[in-house]
Amino acid sequence: MFPLEIETLARLLIDEARSRSLRIVTAESCTGGLVAGAICSIAGASDVFERGYVTYTNRAKQELLGVPGDLIADLGAVSEPVARMMAEGALENSNAHVAVAITGVAGPGGGTPMKPVGTVHIATARANQGLMHRAELFEGETRQAVQLAAVQSALEMLRERMR
């Protein structure tokens, strides 16, 4: 279902989370649940995967993750502060230890000069260890290429948070 690189990252992530007794939560916008899907496509994911949120709309980000509406209005949904708040909200609204959040412009439309197609913000949060953020500009030719690149980056960031 997923490219071998993503499948391998998901398998390694599950093994690392299991060895550290950590549970994972995802909060996704532009990837529409693909990070959760990549993790759950691996046997044994139920040992570590707690839940996933697909918060595609601004309203969903507010209602499910507690992202302030004025923050979204001021900076846009595709921004570092929103990604950080999504990760924090996912962690707070779950029984997980580690969260990843993704918001971005997958395309092919919707880009602007300030936030072109391929702009993605990924944030991770770990209980009692703060937040990490990464801004990416994926130059995929298709929506799927941008989404898969974002999934790969998110899995890599989650693995970094396991250490």
Side-chain angles (χ1 to χ4, degrees), residues 105-112 117 143:
V105 184
T112 67
V117 169
R143 179 178 181 84

Side-chain angles (χ1 to χ4, degrees), residues 116-132:
V117 169
T119 300
V120 177
H121 289 272
I122 304 170
T124 58
R126 184 165 171 183
N128 304 316
Q129 293 191 17
L131 290 153
M132 291 176 62

Side-chain angles (χ1 to χ4, degrees), residues 29-142:
S29 187
C30 67
T31 49
L34 290 173
V35 175
I39 294 169
C40 293
S41 72
I42 306 299
S46 60
D47 293 342
V48 301
F49 188 75
E50 210 273 335
R51 71 181 70 176
Y53 295 94
V54 177
T55 54
Y56 209 74
T57 66
N58 293 343
R59 184 174 180 176
K61 290 173 184 66
Q62 293 172 58
E63 291 177 358
L64 298 174
L65 302 174
V67 178
D70 58 347
L71 182 69
I72 295 171
D74 292 346
L75 301 174
V78 180
S79 64
E80 177 178 345
V82 169
R84 286 175 174 266
M85 291 291 299
M86 289 172 65
E88 283 182 337
L91 203 57
E92 290 171 10
N93 290 294
S94 70
N95 293 312
H97 305 100
V98 184
V100 66
I102 302 177
T103 183
V105 184
T112 67
M114 294 295 289
K115 296 177 187 177
V117 169
T119 300
V120 177
H121 289 272
I122 304 170
T124 58
R126 184 165 171 183
N128 304 316
Q129 293 191 17
L131 290 153
M132 291 176 62
H133 168 263
R134 184 181 295 167
E136 302 275 10
L137 180 57
F138 299 116
E139 297 185 17
E141 293 182 16
T142 66

